[in-house]
Amino acid sequence: MSPKRSRVREQKRSLNRALASAPSDAGKNSELSPAEKYAQYKARTAHLTPALTDFREQFEFELDDFQLEACAALEDGHSVLVAAPTGAGKTIVGEFATHLALRSGMKAFYTTPIKALSNQKYSDLVRRYGASNVGLLTGDTSINSEAPVVVMTTEVLRNMLYADSRTLDTLGYVVMDEVHYLADRHRGAVWEEVIIHLDESVRLVSLSATVSNAEEFGDWLTAVRGDTKVVVSETRPVPLWQHVIVQGRGDNPGGILDLYAHTVDPTEPGLTPPINPDLLNVMRRGSDSFRGRHHKRGMQPASQHTGRRGPPRFAVIDELRRALLLPVIYFIFSRAGCDSAVAQCLATGISLTTEQEAEQIRQVAETRCADIPAEDLSVLGFWSWLEGLTRGIAAHHAGMLPLFKETVEDLFSRGLIKAVFATETLALGINMPARTVVLEKLVKWDGTSHVDITPGEYTQLTGRAGRRGIDVEGHAVVVDHPGLDPMALAGLASKRLYPLKSSFSPTYNMSVNLIEQRGRERAKEILESSFAQFQADRSVVSLARRAVSNREALAGYEEAMTCERGSFPEYMKLRRAITAREKELASAGKSQRRGELVSALSRLRRSQVLELPSGRSAGYVVVIDRGTDTGTEGPRPVVLTEGGKVRVLTLADLSSGFDVIGTIRIESSFNPRRPSERSALTSDLRHAVATGDGLTPLATKPYGGPKKKSNPHDDSVLRQLRKDLKNHPCHTCPDRDEHARWGDRWNTLERDQASLLSKINSRTGSISKTFERVCKVLLELGYLTVSPNGEYTITGAGRQLGRIYAENDLLVAQCLKAGLWDDLDPAQLAAAVSVVVYQSRRDDEPEPRMPGGPTGTLARAVDNTVREWSALTDLEDSHGIKETGDLDLGLVEAMHKWTRGRSLNSVLKDTELTAGDFVRWCKQILDALDQIANVTDSAKVRASALSAIDSIKRGVVAYSSV
């Protein structure tokens, strides 16, 4: 049977199963006795109360059992944790909380992790309850903030709690949508702060993806919030089918193949489901032919595909259209890849819409974008974007203008857009279900390296497939690509659960607010009630059990290695000391060589030409920027390679050494962001190294690579240890080898035991220990004082810090306290603030131009900001806490231009920023400027901040997100 026929057969089975399990199924009910039917009805309606009955009537479908169970528990006065798959309808429970609030005259806050989801939920609730009953609060939007139901980002609620806002009066319910976001390492702590600080009278509705430790999370919620009902559903409302799409070649027609064998139920595949033999045959044929040409036999698993590539993106869309599997969300882990995919589809002439749909799309898009100035349309790529929309194809990623993204979301939800090429950010809560989800690869870039996606990420991404009430089933399709292993894919697809791990850690802002409101000891108690400490304490219990078991095993090993001539444990410690000393000497040699390399890097100057014998930039390069000093890693110079690429050199790139062969001329106005100037300098470099023309030779050779290793016999400590070992009485024992076998086990286990005890010590009270280290930094900088009895008191600067909610909160406070920004005009202040807010997506961007020149007012302020940051990170390092994030000057010039009224084209033309990125960073800088205006003691800084806000809020930045 062909894969397509088998798929149709299984689709019918799936539909039959769905019908067979439906409560209204006449066939099933006809088999029940009258008493059984009545019992079934009573069980189904047991949860129903007047409030829940009234709420149910708002929907055209029956609520699922898990929804009814959670709603009933909420109405009964419990907080609830609901863990269910994407698309299962968790938000029904959150909406019931708003229903209860309106019914009882109390307030309900509905919190989300991102503004886009807040905007979407606000629109949903306005349609349900009317604009007068619903408000919206995000970082840059405030609508009807005193309404009985307010949608907001989680940070807004956290800020309200610390400010003791009157808006919290009569608050009865808080919904935390996507509560599993508390695992996010950058923002997750905010969720725990809210959960801990909410008044105990508030009922909490926590909505989470399916996680493997929902009960553990529920136990913690019960500990900090009181009785919490945990409701878990692992059933997808729409069954999900797993496929691989392959390229046709030879006698293989290609197309969409099922991942699992036809005997597997896709809704319950098990942990190791058998793979579709047709798919394995395709993989093996491709692998065998490829391995024969390029690989030795046995180096690659037979099931792992290496030699074939999958079909191009436009062909995948075409195949999905033929198989009636549109609409589709096609995940590509690259912004450029998404834009390129749209361009490829347009180039092939694909159109997925009718003439009527295309006209409707055009009207929606033009209406939504009517306020964009005409001169900005080309800069934003409006016309090519609109062409894609009218053909039913679009991209969706963080680099797009928010207005464009929202338009795509609207058109897709209406069924007008049929194919969206998206990055993984689309999986974060936005309601855009599709019939099919495609993953181009199972590897993504995490900011530092390419890593495999996790089962949790796979579940989150493919959870979009299958529209409830529309599709009988959803489809997850992985595009065939080099390295794809169907067994590994089956493992990803079958492991639907992942653990929720806390990322909570005390911050400066959090610490001063807790101390001001609760005092030192109570603050520590509150921090120790965090989910992070809860998990750490639970892990200590299991670690302690292992430690007891290890002690017993160590005693047994000591007995087994007992030697009549002396203490064998003592003898083993000597052997261990010798090994440790040898490693120490080897490490010292590496440290010396590392120090020499760092010193050599610090002596590099602009225009020097280097010869690199190995690494990703091997060959000749010219230094175009000395780079910033990273401390122990030394500076990271920015260079231009012979291939015209701009690279940042690190120690890893220079492990084999380098030669400085001379210098070439670089114009002072050289801008590496301009392709023409990069090309010209690349040509000069190639000509200089090939002919010597234009190259000024240098005799220096800063670093020639690894030096010869030192001789361990020259070390007096090592010589003495070896002498002691030789003279030890156990050294001449005839049973020494037998004792040593037990001794090696004892040695290994003792090391493990020491590590185990260290973990136990570090995890016991770990959060409060971090808090004390944070407080020592705050004491040293004058944000706290300490009384003779050890109680902390907040200073005026500390109260100012308590109102700064930013990732680099302490650095902003330090700059304000030191008056570093006092002399700046509005444009200069916006540019200076960008240094502590902006984070480039690339690490190879050279130093940008500084408005006003290198000795101007802005340059001095930026230099002083960098010095303040350097002193702060040194202090943090000395106290053993996480250092404040790196500064980035990449937005200084663009921000200065925009605040001074320059056009969007003028601002972006010399940068690699997209319009969407620029708007996103402008919004964050606006938020920071608003906080600065509210906390600063300087009237001039306040006036500059407010003026900068007015100047930035124009054009594309001012477009409403609602």
Side-chain angles (χ1 to χ4, degrees), residues 732-901:
T732 57
C733 176
D735 298 323
R736 184 184 69 184
D737 290 345
E738 177 64 22
H739 296 330
R741 276 193 288 273
W742 288 104
D744 287 336
R745 297 177 188 177
W746 177 85
N747 243 341
T748 300
L749 189 57
E750 191 184 52
R751 283 197 302 271
D752 290 346
Q753 180 74 339
S755 174
L756 199 59
L757 295 175
S758 175
K759 285 181 182 178
I760 291 173
N761 180 61
S762 66
R763 295 183 187 182
T764 304
S766 56
I767 301 297
S768 62
K769 290 175 184 175
T770 303
F771 169 72
E772 289 294 350
R773 290 195 291 270
V774 167
C775 288
K776 286 179 181 178
V777 171
L778 295 173
L779 278 168
E780 197 163 330
L781 295 177
Y783 294 90
L784 299 176
T785 59
V786 61
S787 65
N789 65 0
E791 185 56 70
Y792 291 139
T793 303
I794 305 296
T795 65
R799 277 186 284 277
Q800 189 180 64
L801 172 61
R803 294 160 61 197
I804 299 173
Y805 302 98
E807 193 168 337
N808 292 341
D809 48 9
L810 185 54
L811 178 59
V812 173
Q814 282 288 93
C815 291
L816 292 175
K817 185 155 70 89
L820 303 186
W821 301 336
D822 286 2
D823 298 327
L824 302 180
D825 64 27
Q828 291 168 339
L829 179 60
V833 170
S834 78
V835 174
V836 299
V837 173
Y838 177 64
Q839 293 178 345
S840 172
R841 297 181 69 242
R842 302 175 54 172
D843 62 0
D844 58 352
E845 291 193 4
E847 192 100 358
R849 285 195 301 247
M850 187 65 60
T855 60
T857 303
L858 177 57
R860 290 196 302 273
V862 170
D863 286 344
N864 289 333
T865 301
V866 172
R867 289 192 189 95
E868 194 68 51
W869 166 80
S870 180
L872 176 57
T873 54
D874 287 346
L875 181 61
E876 290 168 327
D877 183 60
S878 69
H879 286 286
I881 61 177
K882 182 183 177 183
E883 295 180 8
T884 295
D886 290 345
L887 304 186
D888 197 314
L889 279 62
L891 198 62
V892 167
E893 186 179 16
M895 202 70 237
H896 187 268
K897 284 182 176 180
W898 182 256
T899 311
R900 294 194 65 183

Side-chain angles (χ1 to χ4, degrees), residues 473-489:
E473 58 200 21
H475 300 267
V477 180
V478 175
V479 180
D480 191 16
H481 58 272
L484 176 63
D485 181 353
M487 297 297 292
L489 173 57

Side-chain angles (χ1 to χ4, degrees), residues 27 29 39 116 122 131 163 176 179 183 194 205 274-275 297 362 442 484 534 552 585 597 703 727 870 889 891 941:
N29 285 340
Y122 168 74
M176 302 196 77
V179 74
V194 169
V205 180
I275 304 301
R297 177 171 291 179
R362 186 181 300 279
L442 301 179
L484 176 63
F534 185 84
E552 295 172 353
L585 291 173
L597 179 53
Y703 181 69
N727 293 335
S870 180
L889 279 62
L891 198 62
V941 171

